[in-house]
Amino acid sequence: MQIIVDVPNNYLDVLHRAPEDFAQEAKLAMAAKLFEMKRLSSGMAASLIGLDRVTFLAQLHRFGVPMIDLSEDELAQDIDNA
């Protein structure tokens, strides 16, 4: 499947981005949001946009998305199981 988004040239000018850079950032933002919403695992999100998992995880901070998002109960359970 392919998603096509029309982006006016003046947007690229305002953002000071080359079309390729804007496209990569938009893909990363989409993958980060899908990961944050727990719709995709980090590996699947990374694969979707052609990155390795570690590189994807390292970029999440740019979008305010935590690498690990556990509730207090989940964290306590992980600690108990360690």
Side-chain angles (χ1 to χ4, degrees):
M1 181 177 92
Q2 185 176 23
I3 299 171
I4 298 173
V5 178
D6 292 323
V7 179
N9 286 334
N10 64 323
Y11 280 46
L12 299 176
D13 294 339
V14 169
L15 296 170
H16 305 290
R17 297 283 186 173
E20 301 80 21
D21 294 338
F22 180 81
Q24 186 61 29
E25 188 163 358
K27 289 178 195 178
L28 182 56
M30 176 190 66
K33 189 63 181 178
L34 289 169
F35 171 72
E36 181 182 36
M37 295 169 58
K38 298 181 182 352
R39 301 279 171 87
L40 293 178
S41 68
S42 60
M44 290 174 71
S47 178
L48 176 67
I49 59 172
L51 292 178
D52 63 88
R53 183 174 172 265
V54 172
T55 301
F56 172 73
L57 289 171
Q59 296 297 314
L60 289 176
H61 73 280
R62 294 177 48 210
F63 301 95
V65 176
M67 279 191 251
I68 300 171
D69 185 22
L70 298 175
S71 69
E72 286 185 35
D73 291 338
E74 291 170 323
L75 182 57
Q77 186 177 5
D78 277 1
I79 291 170
D80 289 343
N81 291 331

